[in-house]
Amino acid sequence: MTEPTVFQLSSPGRHGFDVPASDVPDFTLPESFVRQDLPLPEMSELDVVRHFTHLSQKNYAIDLGFYPLGSCTMKYNPKINEVTSRLPGFANTHPLQPLDTVQGNLYLMYTLQEWLKEISGFAGVTLMPAAGAHGELTGMLIIQKYHKDRGDLKRKRILIPDSAHGTNPASSAMIGMEIVPLSSDARGNVDLEALKALCDENLAGLMLTNPNTLGLFDEHVEQVIQLVHAAGGLVYGDGANLNALLGIVRPGDLGFDVMHFNLHKTFSTPHGGGGPGSGPVAVCQKLVDFLPDPVISVVEAGTEEVAPLYGYAHPAKSIGRVKTYHGHFGMLVRAFTYIAMHGTDGLRDIAEKAVLNANYMMHRLKSTYTLPYNRTCMHEFVLEGVWKDLPGIHALDIAKRLMDYKFHPPTNYFPLIVHEALMIEPTETESLDTLDAFCDALLKIAEEARTQPELLHDAPHNTPVRRCDELKAAKDLVLCCYPLEELQK
Ligand SMILES: *Cc1c(COP(=O)(O)O)cnc(C)c1O
């Protein structure tokens, strides 16, 4: 089923606007400013609205259904976040306005920094990074500069557990670090013996996701951190899974030195479709001087009658700027709203319900699907999407068949250390009915795998696009709405 493009719908002379008669003299733009060959569709306003509304209804979204995408924390995005982020005082300010005209915005950013410090147990925060991966890059630049600043120049090795998200090695490699994979033990923890063997004077640090991407809390996390510190390295915390810990454990208290938050995961700012996200980075006391410049701070203390004056602090050994202005401000307003609405007890409740939901589903599914790391999970768990006696069925078939049951598939083929992985994260926002309906669908699919395997192989059956050639889709991606003939002219 191919949708007509706006070019096919175009009809010469049709338009969706009326410009009032000009009351200034005509001016002809210089020839070089005008592209004569630019093909633009000509449509009425109504046709444009219908076309894009129609397309949007073919999309799957968190507002339409369950989205158990492991590692992504696809929780409901409360609509109040959209109301506050659109308030004119937030939405219409310019980052170059004089500071005395944007005190409310600075107050919001300062307070959010303080809240994130309190939630995570760290001493300083930057709100600048655009997303988690950008936070990783920022954090790794800080670690690199910390060693350089101490004249400790040979520390280039970054250890990354084999369960890590691909962005971890990518962010380290981008700044010239040497990546060394670290194996996991049989219970899904960091392998302590493997770690000990790699702790020497070349060690710059370790990037650790805790709970890790298997949804497991590392049982020796403090020992892991101590080993790295004893060897002179720093520990980076990938905070993508913070949802499981909110209000219960603070990574800073465990000894982590740097960590990023994914506001678009833990704190409900919308994500998918490429952003915008937000990936603030928190650091321990000895790293605050290296934070990106500027950090929002109180420049003049307030009194009982007068509000404090907010402005910029410039960390002494800053790694510099990592983003224009202050990052994605609209996301900061949404996260601020979310935290303010939940309060201290509410945040803890989030973590407890997310973990309860994941364990409930894991228990319903683990006798039908193989659970390779069989212990209490945190906010997510990983199953194998394959059975020994059914070699023709793969995780991909199960994922595609779920779409026929109107569910977004879970993350699959990640983490890499689980064979045919199906990584399921329910989040705290789903009802028991939804969790049960999803488990019922997965159990039904397991039955179909035995009785009608072709149903899985040919799935999905009733989506706007059927099964794609995944390799071609990745390697030969066409995102342009221009007809190919136009482009090739
Ligand atoms: C999502 C995620 C990242 C990357 O975060 P982005 O905001 O998508 O850039 C890194 N690590 C883990 C474990 C993640 O789940």
Side-chain angles (χ1 to χ4, degrees), residues 70-73 130-136 163-168 209 211-213 238-241 260-265 271 277-279 380 414 423 425:
S71 214
C72 294
T73 311
H134 193 206
E136 292 171 28
S163 57
H165 195 268
T167 50
N168 289 187
T209 313
N212 64 18
T213 62
D238 178 331
N241 293 340
H260 77 256
F261 304 81
N262 304 64
L263 298 189
H264 45 287
K265 293 179 182 173
H271 63 314
S278 182
E380 65 191 358
F414 176 76
M423 184 194 207
E425 177 180 6

PDB file of all heavy atoms in Angstrom, residues 70-73 130-136 163-168 209 211-213 238-241 260-265 271 277-279 380 414 423 425, ligand 1:
ATOM      1  N   GLY A  70      12.522  -2.328  25.227  1.00  0.00           N
ATOM      2  CA  GLY A  70      13.532  -2.415  26.274  1.00  0.00           C
ATOM      3  C   GLY A  70      14.638  -1.407  26.086  1.00  0.00           C
ATOM      4  O   GLY A  70      15.052  -1.105  24.972  1.00  0.00           O
ATOM      5  N   SER A  71      15.110  -0.851  27.214  1.00  0.00           N
ATOM      6  CA  SER A  71      16.193   0.130  27.276  1.00  0.00           C
ATOM      7  C   SER A  71      15.723   1.544  26.919  1.00  0.00           C
ATOM      8  O   SER A  71      16.423   2.505  27.177  1.00  0.00           O
ATOM      9  CB  SER A  71      17.375  -0.254  26.369  1.00  0.00           C
ATOM     10  OG  SER A  71      18.579   0.166  26.962  1.00  0.00           O
ATOM     11  N   CYS A  72      14.533   1.665  26.325  1.00  0.00           N
ATOM     12  CA  CYS A  72      14.094   2.982  25.846  1.00  0.00           C
ATOM     13  C   CYS A  72      13.150   3.684  26.822  1.00  0.00           C
ATOM     14  O   CYS A  72      12.896   4.881  26.671  1.00  0.00           O
ATOM     15  CB  CYS A  72      13.415   2.853  24.497  1.00  0.00           C
ATOM     16  SG  CYS A  72      14.545   2.328  23.219  1.00  0.00           S
ATOM     17  N   THR A  73      12.625   2.980  27.809  1.00  0.00           N
ATOM     18  CA  THR A  73      11.705   3.554  28.797  1.00  0.00           C
ATOM     19  C   THR A  73      10.621   4.401  28.131  1.00  0.00           C
ATOM     20  O   THR A  73      10.551   5.617  28.299  1.00  0.00           O
ATOM     21  CB  THR A  73      12.478   4.358  29.867  1.00  0.00           C
ATOM     22  OG1 THR A  73      13.551   3.547  30.354  1.00  0.00           O
ATOM     23  CG2 THR A  73      11.594   4.725  31.047  1.00  0.00           C
ATOM     24  N   ALA A 130      22.504  17.050  24.172  1.00  0.00           N
ATOM     25  CA  ALA A 130      21.260  16.930  23.412  1.00  0.00           C
ATOM     26  C   ALA A 130      20.542  15.601  23.624  1.00  0.00           C
ATOM     27  O   ALA A 130      19.363  15.475  23.338  1.00  0.00           O
ATOM     28  CB  ALA A 130      21.558  17.114  21.932  1.00  0.00           C
ATOM     29  N   ALA A 131      21.255  14.580  24.078  1.00  0.00           N
ATOM     30  CA  ALA A 131      20.645  13.255  24.271  1.00  0.00           C
ATOM     31  C   ALA A 131      21.644  12.392  25.031  1.00  0.00           C
ATOM     32  O   ALA A 131      22.743  12.850  25.368  1.00  0.00           O
ATOM     33  CB  ALA A 131      20.302  12.621  22.934  1.00  0.00           C
ATOM     34  N   GLY A 132      21.260  11.145  25.290  1.00  0.00           N
ATOM     35  CA  GLY A 132      22.116  10.245  26.066  1.00  0.00           C
ATOM     36  C   GLY A 132      23.498  10.078  25.456  1.00  0.00           C
ATOM     37  O   GLY A 132      24.520  10.221  26.136  1.00  0.00           O
ATOM     38  N   ALA A 133      23.534   9.777  24.162  1.00  0.00           N
ATOM     39  CA  ALA A 133      24.828   9.539  23.520  1.00  0.00           C
ATOM     40  C   ALA A 133      25.701  10.795  23.583  1.00  0.00           C
ATOM     41  O   ALA A 133      26.921  10.709  23.772  1.00  0.00           O
ATOM     42  CB  ALA A 133      24.619   9.113  22.062  1.00  0.00           C
ATOM     43  N   HIS A 134      25.085  11.953  23.465  1.00  0.00           N
ATOM     44  CA  HIS A 134      25.828  13.208  23.554  1.00  0.00           C
ATOM     45  C   HIS A 134      26.306  13.436  24.985  1.00  0.00           C
ATOM     46  O   HIS A 134      27.397  13.974  25.216  1.00  0.00           O
ATOM     47  CB  HIS A 134      24.910  14.354  23.076  1.00  0.00           C
ATOM     48  CG  HIS A 134      25.617  15.643  22.829  1.00  0.00           C
ATOM     49  ND1 HIS A 134      24.994  16.848  22.920  1.00  0.00           N
ATOM     50  CD2 HIS A 134      26.902  15.920  22.507  1.00  0.00           C
ATOM     51  CE1 HIS A 134      25.864  17.817  22.656  1.00  0.00           C
ATOM     52  NE2 HIS A 134      27.026  17.269  22.402  1.00  0.00           N
ATOM     53  N   GLY A 135      25.505  12.996  25.963  1.00  0.00           N
ATOM     54  CA  GLY A 135      25.929  13.037  27.361  1.00  0.00           C
ATOM     55  C   GLY A 135      27.145  12.150  27.580  1.00  0.00           C
ATOM     56  O   GLY A 135      28.092  12.523  28.273  1.00  0.00           O
ATOM     57  N   GLU A 136      27.138  10.974  26.951  1.00  0.00           N
ATOM     58  CA  GLU A 136      28.292  10.071  27.062  1.00  0.00           C
ATOM     59  C   GLU A 136      29.542  10.761  26.531  1.00  0.00           C
ATOM     60  O   GLU A 136      30.604  10.719  27.158  1.00  0.00           O
ATOM     61  CB  GLU A 136      28.056   8.796  26.241  1.00  0.00           C
ATOM     62  CG  GLU A 136      26.974   7.894  26.781  1.00  0.00           C
ATOM     63  CD  GLU A 136      26.643   6.779  25.793  1.00  0.00           C
ATOM     64  OE1 GLU A 136      27.524   6.389  25.005  1.00  0.00           O
ATOM     65  OE2 GLU A 136      25.489   6.315  25.794  1.00  0.00           O
ATOM     66  N   SER A 163      27.648  -6.245  27.606  1.00  0.00           N
ATOM     67  CA  SER A 163      26.195  -6.025  27.561  1.00  0.00           C
ATOM     68  C   SER A 163      25.857  -4.573  27.219  1.00  0.00           C
ATOM     69  O   SER A 163      24.690  -4.208  27.118  1.00  0.00           O
ATOM     70  CB  SER A 163      25.576  -6.387  28.920  1.00  0.00           C
ATOM     71  OG  SER A 163      26.181  -5.619  29.955  1.00  0.00           O
ATOM     72  N   ALA A 164      26.863  -3.714  27.046  1.00  0.00           N
ATOM     73  CA  ALA A 164      26.624  -2.271  26.913  1.00  0.00           C
ATOM     74  C   ALA A 164      25.909  -1.892  25.616  1.00  0.00           C
ATOM     75  O   ALA A 164      25.966  -2.603  24.615  1.00  0.00           O
ATOM     76  CB  ALA A 164      27.934  -1.502  26.991  1.00  0.00           C
ATOM     77  N   HIS A 165      25.271  -0.749  25.662  1.00  0.00           N
ATOM     78  CA  HIS A 165      24.646  -0.132  24.494  1.00  0.00           C
ATOM     79  C   HIS A 165      25.751   0.312  23.535  1.00  0.00           C
ATOM     80  O   HIS A 165      26.815   0.756  23.974  1.00  0.00           O
ATOM     81  CB  HIS A 165      23.863   1.091  24.986  1.00  0.00           C
ATOM     82  CG  HIS A 165      22.893   1.649  24.008  1.00  0.00           C
ATOM     83  ND1 HIS A 165      23.227   2.646  23.133  1.00  0.00           N
ATOM     84  CD2 HIS A 165      21.583   1.369  23.784  1.00  0.00           C
ATOM     85  CE1 HIS A 165      22.162   2.957  22.400  1.00  0.00           C
ATOM     86  NE2 HIS A 165      21.157   2.205  22.779  1.00  0.00           N
ATOM     87  N   GLY A 166      25.491   0.220  22.239  1.00  0.00           N
ATOM     88  CA  GLY A 166      26.510   0.539  21.240  1.00  0.00           C
ATOM     89  C   GLY A 166      27.024   1.963  21.305  1.00  0.00           C
ATOM     90  O   GLY A 166      28.133   2.256  20.844  1.00  0.00           O
ATOM     91  N   THR A 167      26.223   2.873  21.881  1.00  0.00           N
ATOM     92  CA  THR A 167      26.695   4.251  21.967  1.00  0.00           C
ATOM     93  C   THR A 167      27.899   4.368  22.900  1.00  0.00           C
ATOM     94  O   THR A 167      28.694   5.297  22.747  1.00  0.00           O
ATOM     95  CB  THR A 167      25.580   5.191  22.487  1.00  0.00           C
ATOM     96  OG1 THR A 167      25.022   4.628  23.665  1.00  0.00           O
ATOM     97  CG2 THR A 167      24.491   5.384  21.450  1.00  0.00           C
ATOM     98  N   ASN A 168      28.045   3.452  23.871  1.00  0.00           N
ATOM     99  CA  ASN A 168      29.162   3.560  24.829  1.00  0.00           C
ATOM    100  C   ASN A 168      30.518   3.455  24.129  1.00  0.00           C
ATOM    101  O   ASN A 168      31.328   4.393  24.220  1.00  0.00           O
ATOM    102  CB  ASN A 168      29.051   2.508  25.940  1.00  0.00           C
ATOM    103  CG  ASN A 168      27.910   2.763  26.929  1.00  0.00           C
ATOM    104  OD1 ASN A 168      27.776   2.091  27.936  1.00  0.00           O
ATOM    105  ND2 ASN A 168      27.057   3.736  26.646  1.00  0.00           N
ATOM    106  N   THR A 209      26.604   0.416  32.880  1.00  0.00           N
ATOM    107  CA  THR A 209      25.161   0.655  32.905  1.00  0.00           C
ATOM    108  C   THR A 209      24.612  -0.184  34.046  1.00  0.00           C
ATOM    109  O   THR A 209      24.804  -1.398  34.055  1.00  0.00           O
ATOM    110  CB  THR A 209      24.521   0.226  31.566  1.00  0.00           C
ATOM    111  OG1 THR A 209      25.299   0.749  30.500  1.00  0.00           O
ATOM    112  CG2 THR A 209      23.095   0.723  31.458  1.00  0.00           C
ATOM    113  N   PRO A 211      21.030  -0.520  36.608  1.00  0.00           N
ATOM    114  CA  PRO A 211      20.988  -1.884  36.110  1.00  0.00           C
ATOM    115  C   PRO A 211      21.429  -1.939  34.648  1.00  0.00           C
ATOM    116  O   PRO A 211      21.222  -1.000  33.892  1.00  0.00           O
ATOM    117  CB  PRO A 211      19.513  -2.290  36.255  1.00  0.00           C
ATOM    118  CG  PRO A 211      18.757  -1.044  36.565  1.00  0.00           C
ATOM    119  CD  PRO A 211      19.721  -0.067  37.113  1.00  0.00           C
ATOM    120  N   ASN A 212      22.010  -3.092  34.282  1.00  0.00           N
ATOM    121  CA  ASN A 212      22.557  -3.212  32.934  1.00  0.00           C
ATOM    122  C   ASN A 212      21.461  -3.518  31.924  1.00  0.00           C
ATOM    123  O   ASN A 212      20.274  -3.551  32.265  1.00  0.00           O
ATOM    124  CB  ASN A 212      23.689  -4.248  32.906  1.00  0.00           C
ATOM    125  CG  ASN A 212      23.180  -5.651  33.230  1.00  0.00           C
ATOM    126  OD1 ASN A 212      21.987  -5.941  33.162  1.00  0.00           O
ATOM    127  ND2 ASN A 212      24.092  -6.530  33.599  1.00  0.00           N
ATOM    128  N   THR A 213      21.837  -3.750  30.683  1.00  0.00           N
ATOM    129  CA  THR A 213      20.834  -3.912  29.630  1.00  0.00           C
ATOM    130  C   THR A 213      20.153  -5.283  29.698  1.00  0.00           C
ATOM    131  O   THR A 213      19.230  -5.545  28.928  1.00  0.00           O
ATOM    132  CB  THR A 213      21.447  -3.714  28.233  1.00  0.00           C
ATOM    133  OG1 THR A 213      22.439  -4.716  28.051  1.00  0.00           O
ATOM    134  CG2 THR A 213      22.078  -2.337  28.111  1.00  0.00           C
ATOM    135  N   ASP A 238      26.218   4.950  32.720  1.00  0.00           N
ATOM    136  CA  ASP A 238      25.212   5.176  31.683  1.00  0.00           C
ATOM    137  C   ASP A 238      23.869   5.160  32.407  1.00  0.00           C
ATOM    138  O   ASP A 238      23.414   4.119  32.871  1.00  0.00           O
ATOM    139  CB  ASP A 238      25.316   4.062  30.641  1.00  0.00           C
ATOM    140  CG  ASP A 238      24.265   4.179  29.537  1.00  0.00           C
ATOM    141  OD1 ASP A 238      23.170   4.715  29.807  1.00  0.00           O
ATOM    142  OD2 ASP A 238      24.536   3.714  28.419  1.00  0.00           O
ATOM    143  N   GLY A 239      23.245   6.332  32.512  1.00  0.00           N
ATOM    144  CA  GLY A 239      22.036   6.468  33.334  1.00  0.00           C
ATOM    145  C   GLY A 239      20.737   6.164  32.614  1.00  0.00           C
ATOM    146  O   GLY A 239      19.656   6.505  33.118  1.00  0.00           O
ATOM    147  N   ALA A 240      20.823   5.504  31.466  1.00  0.00           N
ATOM    148  CA  ALA A 240      19.601   5.231  30.696  1.00  0.00           C
ATOM    149  C   ALA A 240      18.591   4.419  31.510  1.00  0.00           C
ATOM    150  O   ALA A 240      17.392   4.511  31.275  1.00  0.00           O
ATOM    151  CB  ALA A 240      19.947   4.500  29.405  1.00  0.00           C
ATOM    152  N   ASN A 241      19.081   3.630  32.450  1.00  0.00           N
ATOM    153  CA  ASN A 241      18.182   2.767  33.220  1.00  0.00           C
ATOM    154  C   ASN A 241      17.860   3.323  34.604  1.00  0.00           C
ATOM    155  O   ASN A 241      17.451   2.584  35.505  1.00  0.00           O
ATOM    156  CB  ASN A 241      18.785   1.359  33.328  1.00  0.00           C
ATOM    157  CG  ASN A 241      18.828   0.674  31.966  1.00  0.00           C
ATOM    158  OD1 ASN A 241      18.104   1.060  31.060  1.00  0.00           O
ATOM    159  ND2 ASN A 241      19.671  -0.324  31.827  1.00  0.00           N
ATOM    160  N   HIS A 260      25.162  10.224  32.811  1.00  0.00           N
ATOM    161  CA  HIS A 260      24.178  11.015  32.064  1.00  0.00           C
ATOM    162  C   HIS A 260      22.772  10.560  32.437  1.00  0.00           C
ATOM    163  O   HIS A 260      22.553   9.427  32.868  1.00  0.00           O
ATOM    164  CB  HIS A 260      24.389  10.927  30.544  1.00  0.00           C
ATOM    165  CG  HIS A 260      23.914   9.648  29.914  1.00  0.00           C
ATOM    166  ND1 HIS A 260      24.767   8.646  29.509  1.00  0.00           N
ATOM    167  CD2 HIS A 260      22.667   9.211  29.605  1.00  0.00           C
ATOM    168  CE1 HIS A 260      24.074   7.657  28.988  1.00  0.00           C
ATOM    169  NE2 HIS A 260      22.786   7.963  29.041  1.00  0.00           N
ATOM    170  N   PHE A 261      21.835  11.481  32.293  1.00  0.00           N
ATOM    171  CA  PHE A 261      20.404  11.186  32.412  1.00  0.00           C
ATOM    172  C   PHE A 261      19.831  11.216  30.997  1.00  0.00           C
ATOM    173  O   PHE A 261      20.307  11.976  30.165  1.00  0.00           O
ATOM    174  CB  PHE A 261      19.666  12.289  33.183  1.00  0.00           C
ATOM    175  CG  PHE A 261      20.203  12.587  34.543  1.00  0.00           C
ATOM    176  CD1 PHE A 261      21.316  13.401  34.711  1.00  0.00           C
ATOM    177  CD2 PHE A 261      19.574  12.082  35.670  1.00  0.00           C
ATOM    178  CE1 PHE A 261      21.796  13.695  35.974  1.00  0.00           C
ATOM    179  CE2 PHE A 261      20.054  12.382  36.941  1.00  0.00           C
ATOM    180  CZ  PHE A 261      21.165  13.185  37.099  1.00  0.00           C
ATOM    181  N   ASN A 262      18.822  10.439  30.737  1.00  0.00           N
ATOM    182  CA  ASN A 262      18.061  10.607  29.507  1.00  0.00           C
ATOM    183  C   ASN A 262      16.709  11.173  29.944  1.00  0.00           C
ATOM    184  O   ASN A 262      15.838  10.430  30.387  1.00  0.00           O
ATOM    185  CB  ASN A 262      17.840   9.279  28.782  1.00  0.00           C
ATOM    186  CG  ASN A 262      19.138   8.556  28.490  1.00  0.00           C
ATOM    187  OD1 ASN A 262      19.842   8.155  29.421  1.00  0.00           O
ATOM    188  ND2 ASN A 262      19.452   8.366  27.226  1.00  0.00           N
ATOM    189  N   LEU A 263      16.573  12.501  29.843  1.00  0.00           N
ATOM    190  CA  LEU A 263      15.297  13.100  30.276  1.00  0.00           C
ATOM    191  C   LEU A 263      14.141  12.516  29.477  1.00  0.00           C
ATOM    192  O   LEU A 263      13.024  12.411  29.972  1.00  0.00           O
ATOM    193  CB  LEU A 263      15.325  14.621  30.119  1.00  0.00           C
ATOM    194  CG  LEU A 263      16.374  15.391  30.931  1.00  0.00           C
ATOM    195  CD1 LEU A 263      16.125  16.892  30.839  1.00  0.00           C
ATOM    196  CD2 LEU A 263      16.385  14.947  32.396  1.00  0.00           C
ATOM    197  N   HIS A 264      14.426  12.131  28.226  1.00  0.00           N
ATOM    198  CA  HIS A 264      13.369  11.577  27.367  1.00  0.00           C
ATOM    199  C   HIS A 264      13.069  10.120  27.709  1.00  0.00           C
ATOM    200  O   HIS A 264      12.194   9.520  27.119  1.00  0.00           O
ATOM    201  CB  HIS A 264      13.755  11.722  25.891  1.00  0.00           C
ATOM    202  CG  HIS A 264      15.177  11.318  25.621  1.00  0.00           C
ATOM    203  ND1 HIS A 264      16.251  12.076  25.992  1.00  0.00           N
ATOM    204  CD2 HIS A 264      15.689  10.229  25.041  1.00  0.00           C
ATOM    205  CE1 HIS A 264      17.371  11.472  25.638  1.00  0.00           C
ATOM    206  NE2 HIS A 264      17.049  10.340  25.069  1.00  0.00           N
ATOM    207  N   LYS A 265      13.793   9.537  28.631  1.00  0.00           N
ATOM    208  CA  LYS A 265      13.420   8.199  29.121  1.00  0.00           C
ATOM    209  C   LYS A 265      12.819   8.375  30.515  1.00  0.00           C
ATOM    210  O   LYS A 265      11.616   8.363  30.708  1.00  0.00           O
ATOM    211  CB  LYS A 265      14.632   7.265  29.146  1.00  0.00           C
ATOM    212  CG  LYS A 265      15.146   6.948  27.752  1.00  0.00           C
ATOM    213  CD  LYS A 265      16.366   6.040  27.748  1.00  0.00           C
ATOM    214  CE  LYS A 265      16.827   5.819  26.305  1.00  0.00           C
ATOM    215  NZ  LYS A 265      18.096   5.090  26.229  1.00  0.00           N
ATOM    216  N   HIS A 271      10.030  10.903  23.090  1.00  0.00           N
ATOM    217  CA  HIS A 271      11.121  10.531  22.186  1.00  0.00           C
ATOM    218  C   HIS A 271      10.667   9.554  21.126  1.00  0.00           C
ATOM    219  O   HIS A 271       9.575   9.056  21.111  1.00  0.00           O
ATOM    220  CB  HIS A 271      12.365  10.058  22.917  1.00  0.00           C
ATOM    221  CG  HIS A 271      12.254   8.813  23.741  1.00  0.00           C
ATOM    222  ND1 HIS A 271      11.237   8.558  24.616  1.00  0.00           N
ATOM    223  CD2 HIS A 271      13.099   7.768  23.852  1.00  0.00           C
ATOM    224  CE1 HIS A 271      11.471   7.413  25.227  1.00  0.00           C
ATOM    225  NE2 HIS A 271      12.585   6.904  24.780  1.00  0.00           N
ATOM    226  N   GLY A 277      15.931  15.137  22.192  1.00  0.00           N
ATOM    227  CA  GLY A 277      16.010  14.537  23.508  1.00  0.00           C
ATOM    228  C   GLY A 277      16.695  15.511  24.442  1.00  0.00           C
ATOM    229  O   GLY A 277      16.754  16.705  24.173  1.00  0.00           O
ATOM    230  N   SER A 278      17.208  14.983  25.553  1.00  0.00           N
ATOM    231  CA  SER A 278      18.023  15.796  26.439  1.00  0.00           C
ATOM    232  C   SER A 278      18.828  14.862  27.340  1.00  0.00           C
ATOM    233  O   SER A 278      18.260  13.948  27.926  1.00  0.00           O
ATOM    234  CB  SER A 278      17.142  16.720  27.281  1.00  0.00           C
ATOM    235  OG  SER A 278      17.957  17.533  28.095  1.00  0.00           O
ATOM    236  N   GLY A 279      20.128  15.104  27.409  1.00  0.00           N
ATOM    237  CA  GLY A 279      21.002  14.186  28.158  1.00  0.00           C
ATOM    238  C   GLY A 279      21.909  14.882  29.144  1.00  0.00           C
ATOM    239  O   GLY A 279      23.139  14.844  29.005  1.00  0.00           O
ATOM    240  N   GLU A 380      13.341  -4.127  33.494  1.00  0.00           N
ATOM    241  CA  GLU A 380      13.212  -4.816  32.203  1.00  0.00           C
ATOM    242  C   GLU A 380      13.827  -6.199  32.301  1.00  0.00           C
ATOM    243  O   GLU A 380      14.524  -6.505  33.272  1.00  0.00           O
ATOM    244  CB  GLU A 380      13.890  -4.016  31.075  1.00  0.00           C
ATOM    245  CG  GLU A 380      15.394  -3.872  31.213  1.00  0.00           C
ATOM    246  CD  GLU A 380      16.009  -2.849  30.238  1.00  0.00           C
ATOM    247  OE1 GLU A 380      15.261  -2.266  29.428  1.00  0.00           O
ATOM    248  OE2 GLU A 380      17.223  -2.629  30.307  1.00  0.00           O
ATOM    249  N   PHE A 414      19.214  -7.258  20.844  1.00  0.00           N
ATOM    250  CA  PHE A 414      20.034  -6.484  21.770  1.00  0.00           C
ATOM    251  C   PHE A 414      19.520  -6.782  23.181  1.00  0.00           C
ATOM    252  O   PHE A 414      18.306  -6.829  23.364  1.00  0.00           O
ATOM    253  CB  PHE A 414      19.929  -4.979  21.466  1.00  0.00           C
ATOM    254  CG  PHE A 414      20.671  -4.130  22.459  1.00  0.00           C
ATOM    255  CD1 PHE A 414      22.058  -4.046  22.405  1.00  0.00           C
ATOM    256  CD2 PHE A 414      19.995  -3.480  23.485  1.00  0.00           C
ATOM    257  CE1 PHE A 414      22.752  -3.300  23.355  1.00  0.00           C
ATOM    258  CE2 PHE A 414      20.685  -2.734  24.426  1.00  0.00           C
ATOM    259  CZ  PHE A 414      22.065  -2.645  24.361  1.00  0.00           C
ATOM    260  N   MET A 423      13.881  -7.953  24.349  1.00  0.00           N
ATOM    261  CA  MET A 423      14.146  -7.178  25.558  1.00  0.00           C
ATOM    262  C   MET A 423      12.908  -6.345  25.900  1.00  0.00           C
ATOM    263  O   MET A 423      12.519  -5.447  25.149  1.00  0.00           O
ATOM    264  CB  MET A 423      15.335  -6.268  25.250  1.00  0.00           C
ATOM    265  CG  MET A 423      15.817  -5.448  26.390  1.00  0.00           C
ATOM    266  SD  MET A 423      16.888  -4.202  25.665  1.00  0.00           S
ATOM    267  CE  MET A 423      17.956  -3.889  27.021  1.00  0.00           C
ATOM    268  N   GLU A 425      10.509  -3.986  28.318  1.00  0.00           N
ATOM    269  CA  GLU A 425      10.435  -3.001  29.393  1.00  0.00           C
ATOM    270  C   GLU A 425       9.028  -2.402  29.422  1.00  0.00           C
ATOM    271  O   GLU A 425       8.649  -1.627  28.542  1.00  0.00           O
ATOM    272  CB  GLU A 425      11.466  -1.871  29.158  1.00  0.00           C
ATOM    273  CG  GLU A 425      11.372  -0.788  30.225  1.00  0.00           C
ATOM    274  CD  GLU A 425      12.362   0.362  30.038  1.00  0.00           C
ATOM    275  OE1 GLU A 425      13.070   0.417  29.020  1.00  0.00           O
ATOM    276  OE2 GLU A 425      12.415   1.214  30.946  1.00  0.00           O
TER     277      GLU A 425
HETATM  278  C1  LIG B   1      19.019   4.951  25.100  1.00  0.00           C
HETATM  279  C2  LIG B   1      20.322   4.471  25.597  1.00  0.00           C
HETATM  280  C3  LIG B   1      21.508   5.170  25.319  1.00  0.00           C
HETATM  281  C4  LIG B   1      21.582   6.348  24.374  1.00  0.00           C
HETATM  282  O1  LIG B   1      20.728   7.388  24.681  1.00  0.00           O
HETATM  283  P1  LIG B   1      20.104   8.353  23.562  1.00  0.00           P
HETATM  284  O2  LIG B   1      19.360   9.351  24.367  1.00  0.00           O
HETATM  285  O3  LIG B   1      19.243   7.485  22.705  1.00  0.00           O
HETATM  286  O4  LIG B   1      21.233   8.954  22.796  1.00  0.00           O
HETATM  287  C5  LIG B   1      22.669   4.725  25.913  1.00  0.00           C
HETATM  288  N1  LIG B   1      22.681   3.627  26.691  1.00  0.00           N
HETATM  289  C6  LIG B   1      21.564   2.915  26.957  1.00  0.00           C
HETATM  290  C7  LIG B   1      21.638   1.721  27.857  1.00  0.00           C
HETATM  291  C8  LIG B   1      20.347   3.307  26.404  1.00  0.00           C
HETATM  292  O5  LIG B   1      19.236   2.596  26.650  1.00  0.00           O
END
